[in-house]
Amino acid sequence: MADDIQQAIDGNDAAAHGATDQAAGAAKSTVDTLRQGAEQARNAFNDHVVEPAKRAGEALKESGQKIAEGSSALGSKLIDQAETNTSQAFAAMRAAASAKDLSEVMRIQGDYLREQGQRSMNQAREVSDLIMQFGRNAVAPLRGGQDGPQN
């Protein structure tokens, strides 16, 4: 009878070890599945959220740099134009001051006004072209580097 009890205990012990091993295997499999799911979720989050956000941030930074460059170029262009206009105005005043009679003063003044009108149109066109190019350059990084037709 003692042998029968020992065999029963050994059988129950083996069955318990088998059940424990089976439960541990199932738990390990579940943990591995959860770990794999978490890794896939992390990769999907990186691919669909983090990386696009990084690219958008880089594009905004590049766009900001283009805006700063464009603003500097536009400011320089406006200063150059103001300098030209002032120089031409003083040249016309010098010519008028050295005129021999009123008709020559009127001619000098008329020439100056005509030239200044043409100069103003050309300057407005230059500034407009510069602003349009500046805008294209500023939004190009936001469009993924795609730029419109060049002028």
Side-chain angles (χ1 to χ4, degrees):
M1 184 155 168
D3 286 336
D4 290 337
I5 293 175
Q6 186 61 41
Q7 283 179 347
I9 291 173
D10 289 343
N12 285 340
D13 188 36
H17 279 308
T20 302
D21 289 345
Q22 188 177 14
K28 182 181 182 310
S29 175
T30 301
V31 167
D32 288 344
T33 300
L34 288 172
R35 185 175 292 129
Q36 185 180 20
E39 182 70 25
Q40 288 174 342
R42 181 176 31 248
N43 289 341
F45 183 78
N46 282 337
D47 291 346
H48 297 287
V49 176
V50 174
E51 288 303 316
K54 281 182 183 178
R55 286 191 301 271
E58 290 167 0
L60 284 172
K61 180 181 175 183
E62 187 177 344
S63 181
Q65 289 171 337
K66 297 290 184 183
I67 289 170
E69 291 168 6
S71 294
S72 177
L74 182 61
S76 293
K77 176 59 78 176
L78 292 173
I79 289 170
D80 290 345
Q81 289 178 352
E83 184 178 17
T84 298
N85 292 342
T86 303
S87 173
Q88 292 299 317
F90 278 108
M93 285 191 283
R94 280 188 195 96
S98 64
K100 307 246 187 287
D101 58 25
L102 184 59
S103 65
E104 190 176 351
V105 170
M106 298 300 287
R107 182 190 55 77
I108 291 168
Q109 190 174 34
D111 290 346
Y112 168 76
L113 290 173
R114 187 173 36 265
E115 290 168 3
Q116 182 57 36
Q118 184 62 44
R119 193 170 34 255
S120 292
M121 288 190 324
N122 290 340
Q123 289 171 345
R125 191 174 302 116
E126 288 175 1
V127 168
S128 174
D129 290 345
L130 192 62
I131 289 171
M132 287 189 327
Q133 185 61 45
F134 161 59
R136 283 192 293 269
N137 291 344
V139 298
L142 301 175
R143 291 182 174 171
Q146 299 170 354
D147 201 1
Q150 297 293 316
N151 289 339

